[in-house]
Amino acid sequence: MNSYKIDEAQVQSSKFKTMPRLFKYLLKYKKRILGVFALMAIGTTVDLVNPLLTKSAIDNYISVKDITGLIKLILFATGINILAVLAIKLRMFLMAKTSNKVIQDLRQELYDHIQSLDLAFFDSRPSGKILARLIGDTNSLKDIIENAVTTLIPNLISVIAVTVIMFVMNWKLALAALCSLPFLIAGVFLISIKAEKHWKAKRQKSSNMNAFINEDLSGIKIIQSFRAENETDQTFQGLVWDDRKEFIKAVRWCDAFGSWIDLCWSVGTMCLYLCGIMVLGIDNVSIGTYIAFGSYVGMFWQPIMNLSNFYNQFINAASGAERIFEIIDKKATVVSKPDAPLMPQIKGKVDFNKVTFGYTPEVKVLKDVSFSVKEGETIALVGPTGAGKSTIVNLISRFYDIDSGTITIDGKDITQVQLESLRTQMGIMTQENYIFSGTIRENILYGKLDATEEEMLNAAKAVHADDFIRELENGYDTKLTARGGELSNGQRQLVAFARTMLSNPAILILDEATSSIDTKTELQVQKGIANLLKGRTSFVIAHRLSTIQNADRIFVIDHEGIIESGTPKELMAKKGEYYKLRQAQFA
């Protein structure tokens, strides 16, 4: 699934369950919604009264040439219609403001929940597909939330009220005017099934396109280096075409709503006048009644047309809402247990007891791995790529939960303490530490947001980042873009080192942390690392064996576990796998 080439599984959820759940977010603004309802009632009432005023003007004033009464009626009608227009404008303003707040609340909830999910969730899908839900799917809900109040409710009220008025005025004419209603319902049901199918498919294709764009821009340097622009352009064209194709199919089916309603509207209008002339007789119904009925027929079918347009939006938005709630309903698998105590101040003793783990149930990366690390000890992990070195340090930080066995720190099972209190006492450095947009100072302070200026400077000096930072034009206030493109690989790594140093972790994890630093800089950084390692338990993953000669012990990791362990001298004397690795590297 973690690919733009694979469609996400369509969320199987009833839209009539999903949308009420979405509309519950409006309850937070119920006072404002009540005001909208009041304004809506004014506009709807005036719309319903207008045909009656027309009937009264023809039958009671024009037919008897009562000009004075007609003028009074016209002035009254003008006044209430101006009031209705003002009410509509104010209603639209309030509802737009409310719908924007609801979208903001929903997006914030979705973002907060995504941050709480474990790494397995992010491993399973490209970040572009997550962005599609956070931005595109959320934006698609704005109109449906707004129109649910400003379109759905008033049009439903209008349809019901108009139906009642027509039956009160003349039930035979009402039946004739509404004779095509059963055909309308059947047609809408069949069309909606097809439209919903293609709107869901369109969401999938849009998600694939977003995933590709994110992946493509992230790797633009590689694409340009290998002159692969034409290939990626063709891929993008294919994804855009797939998205367009599903959109066109969905729109075609949605357009069928309007055509079908127009046909039913025309049939109903013809039946109205045929019934009036052929059944009731022209003399039995007043001209005002005919005109009023004609207006009410339009007032019946126009809301039906509006409701069909709303239903098109509803189908589209429902597929977006289903995708949003599918993530919100996803439970993180790595969580703190209820009432779990805080992790006490870590001293640094780490124990693995028969730990088995696999990223998938079929393939186990570690099998029955056991080892014990003393407080303050530095452990180096070496071995071939994919052997499980990074997996071991990820499990110590509890980014994943093990399949069996136990991992304890200072004798406490890490699954039995609060997750946040565990991770806040750990520092992790990788070869691709992220640099955020902002100043160098802000990036270092990310390690400890409430650190003093002196603490921040001491951390930078300890890893020898202070020297190059002061040589920059603006020093610590130098502004960086995302990923720190203004700095060299080594400089970015030194900033990340300073950030980790500032956090003062009890357990330190260095995962190929010096791989991006040149040899000269590494000699300086090793002094800072020595200070960083002092007094804390550390796990160092390194392919360059020259960087781990001061480790207390070395674990040689092969597939599924540890095959050798000991001090550097012991392993060299043993002439086993570590000896072979070192000989091969320094040959």
Side-chain angles (χ1 to χ4, degrees):
M1 185 177 174
N2 193 358
S3 171
Y4 66 84
K5 299 177 182 178
I6 302 173
D7 290 342
E8 297 174 279
Q10 288 192 0
V11 182
Q12 300 301 321
S13 175
S14 170
K15 55 183 174 291
F16 296 107
K17 292 181 180 179
T18 301
M19 300 312 288
R21 181 178 176 184
L22 175 64
F23 296 144
K24 285 182 181 179
Y25 286 82
L26 287 168
L27 295 178
K28 182 179 177 181
Y29 306 98
K30 51 182 175 291
K31 290 183 179 179
R32 197 178 294 172
I33 296 299
L34 289 174
V36 171
F37 282 156
L39 294 169
M40 192 165 55
I42 294 173
T44 303
T45 301
V46 171
D47 286 342
L48 293 172
V49 167
N50 278 333
L52 295 177
L53 294 177
T54 302
K55 177 181 180 300
S56 178
I58 294 172
D59 291 345
N60 299 333
Y61 299 103
I62 295 176
S63 61
V64 297
K65 299 181 180 180
D66 184 355
I67 305 301
T68 302
L70 181 62
I71 292 174
K72 291 180 180 179
L73 187 64
I74 291 172
L75 291 174
F76 173 74
T78 302
I80 63 173
N81 276 278
I82 291 173
L83 178 64
V85 170
L86 294 175
I88 290 170
K89 294 293 183 183
L90 182 57
R91 181 194 73 188
M92 292 171 63
F93 170 77
L94 287 177
M95 201 57 225
K97 189 175 181 179
T98 303
S99 62
N100 280 317
K101 287 294 294 179
V102 170
I103 292 300
Q104 180 182 337
D105 294 342
L106 182 61
R107 180 174 284 130
Q108 186 67 54
E109 180 182 343
L110 179 61
Y111 177 77
D112 291 342
H113 183 71
I114 288 173
Q115 284 197 311
S116 72
L117 295 174
D118 45 78
L119 291 185
F121 169 80
F122 299 97
D123 292 340
S124 66
R125 64 194 71 203
S127 57
K129 291 191 177 184
I130 299 173
L131 284 173
R133 302 201 185 196
L134 190 60
I135 298 174
D137 289 340
T138 308
N139 283 340
S140 72
L141 302 180
K142 180 183 178 299
D143 289 339
I144 197 68
I145 292 172
E146 185 174 339
N147 290 337
V149 177
T150 60
T151 299
L152 176 63
I153 295 175
N155 279 287
L156 281 175
I157 293 174
S158 293
V159 168
I160 295 170
V162 166
T163 303
V164 171
I165 291 172
M166 285 196 296
F167 273 94
V168 170
M169 289 178 66
N170 192 309
W171 67 270
K172 292 181 180 179
L173 287 178
L175 285 176
L178 304 181
C179 67
S180 57
L181 192 58
F183 300 99
L184 171 72
I185 295 172
V188 166
F189 176 76
L190 294 174
I191 293 171
S192 67
I193 294 175
K194 289 288 187 180
E196 182 177 7
K197 173 186 173 183
H198 291 295
W199 278 125
K200 286 186 175 182
K202 200 271 180 194
R203 289 278 172 201
Q204 289 178 321
K205 302 305 179 184
S206 295
S207 183
N208 291 345
M209 185 170 61
N210 284 329
F212 173 78
I213 292 171
N214 182 268
E215 183 178 312
D216 184 72
L217 296 180
S218 297
I220 190 65
K221 185 175 181 180
I222 302 298
I223 292 170
Q224 292 182 348
S225 298
F226 289 96
R227 304 300 300 155
E229 291 92 343
N230 289 337
E231 287 76 7
T232 56
D233 183 63
Q234 290 174 6
T235 302
F236 182 69
Q237 286 181 19
L239 292 171
V240 171
W241 176 254
D242 289 341
D243 179 68
R244 175 179 176 273
K245 186 165 57 176
E246 290 299 335
F247 176 76
I248 290 174
K249 289 179 181 178
V251 168
R252 282 175 177 170
W253 281 105
C254 288
D255 286 345
F257 275 111
S259 300
W260 186 247
I261 292 171
D262 281 338
L263 177 61
C264 293
W265 187 345
S266 299
V267 171
T269 303
M270 286 190 294
C271 289
L272 166 66
Y273 292 113
L274 285 173
C275 178
I277 295 171
M278 299 176 65
V279 178
L280 298 179
I282 193 82
D283 297 330
N284 294 327
V285 182
S286 69
I287 296 175
T289 300
Y290 269 120
I291 293 175
F293 243 94
S295 298
Y296 279 124
V297 168
M299 290 181 64
F300 176 85
W301 287 105
Q302 187 58 54
I304 294 291
M305 182 69 78
N306 295 339
L307 289 172
S308 75
N309 293 331
F310 172 82
Y311 191 67
N312 288 335
Q313 289 183 332
F314 176 80
I315 294 172
N316 186 15
S319 61
E322 287 167 359
R323 287 158 53 85
I324 290 171
F325 289 127
E326 186 254 342
I327 289 185
I328 290 179
D329 292 338
K330 190 175 290 294
K331 304 299 182 184
T333 56
V334 181
V335 294
S336 303
K337 291 188 176 181
D339 303 322
L342 293 173
M343 182 71 186
Q345 181 62 43
I346 291 177
K347 297 178 180 178
K349 186 177 185 298
V350 178
D351 292 288
F352 272 50
N353 182 29
K354 295 184 177 181
V355 171
T356 297
F357 171 78
Y359 293 100
T360 62
E362 299 80 17
V363 181
K364 300 300 179 184
V365 180
L366 302 176
K367 281 188 178 179
D368 292 329
V369 173
S370 298
F371 62 81
S372 182
V373 177
K374 299 176 184 177
E375 176 185 337
E377 196 172 12
T378 297
I379 302 297
L381 305 176
V382 302
T385 301
K389 304 184 296 296
S390 295
T391 298
I392 288 176
V393 296
N394 283 336
L395 295 179
I396 294 172
S397 303
R398 205 187 163 203
F399 286 124
Y400 303 90
D401 273 340
I402 58 178
D403 298 330
S404 63
T406 57
I407 300 175
T408 62
I409 297 178
D410 298 337
K412 294 188 177 295
D413 189 334
I414 61 173
T415 63
Q416 304 301 316
V417 297
Q418 284 190 17
L419 191 59
E420 185 178 354
S421 66
L422 172 70
R423 290 181 182 166
T424 52
Q425 299 187 63
M426 294 187 176
I428 302 175
M429 279 284 300
T430 69
Q431 58 183 321
E432 296 179 355
N433 273 286
Y434 196 86
I435 298 297
F436 297 91
S437 58
T439 64
I440 292 178
R441 183 190 310 277
E442 290 169 341
N443 269 278
I444 296 176
L445 287 174
Y446 210 80
K448 184 183 178 184
L449 297 177
D450 59 349
T452 64
E453 181 77 5
E454 183 180 4
E455 289 176 323
M456 188 269 296
L457 292 175
N458 288 338
K461 290 175 182 177
V463 296
H464 296 271
D466 182 72
D467 295 336
F468 93 82
I469 294 174
R470 290 189 183 278
E471 292 176 358
L472 299 173
E473 183 178 353
N474 295 314
Y476 284 88
D477 294 315
T478 299
K479 292 185 177 181
L480 306 175
T481 56
R483 302 182 185 276
E486 298 81 358
L487 304 178
S488 68
N489 286 339
Q491 289 172 334
R492 289 197 295 270
Q493 205 70 1
L494 288 173
V495 171
F497 261 84
R499 182 168 62 199
T500 303
M501 173 69 88
L502 185 61
S503 69
N504 192 28
I507 293 179
L508 178 66
I509 296 169
L510 302 180
D511 188 350
E512 286 294 321
T514 60
S515 63
S516 298
I517 301 176
D518 59 79
T519 304
K520 181 180 177 181
T521 306
E522 184 182 345
L523 294 175
Q524 293 179 313
V525 173
Q526 288 296 339
K527 299 175 183 178
I529 291 177
N531 293 331
L532 190 58
L533 299 179
K534 192 177 297 181
R536 52 174 58 91
T537 302
S538 305
F539 293 85
V540 181
I541 298 175
H543 286 294
R544 286 195 288 187
L545 302 182
S546 61
T547 64
I548 58 171
Q549 293 310 298
N550 295 324
D552 295 309
R553 280 190 292 162
I554 295 174
F555 291 170
V556 182
I557 314 294
D558 203 347
H559 296 290
E560 299 181 354
I562 300 171
I563 57 173
E564 282 183 359
S565 66
T567 66
K569 288 183 178 180
E570 289 173 347
L571 293 181
M572 286 298 292
K574 187 177 180 181
K575 293 189 176 181
E577 290 300 318
Y578 176 74
Y579 177 84
K580 294 177 183 177
L581 286 172
R582 188 170 175 80
Q583 289 297 103
Q585 191 165 116
F586 290 97

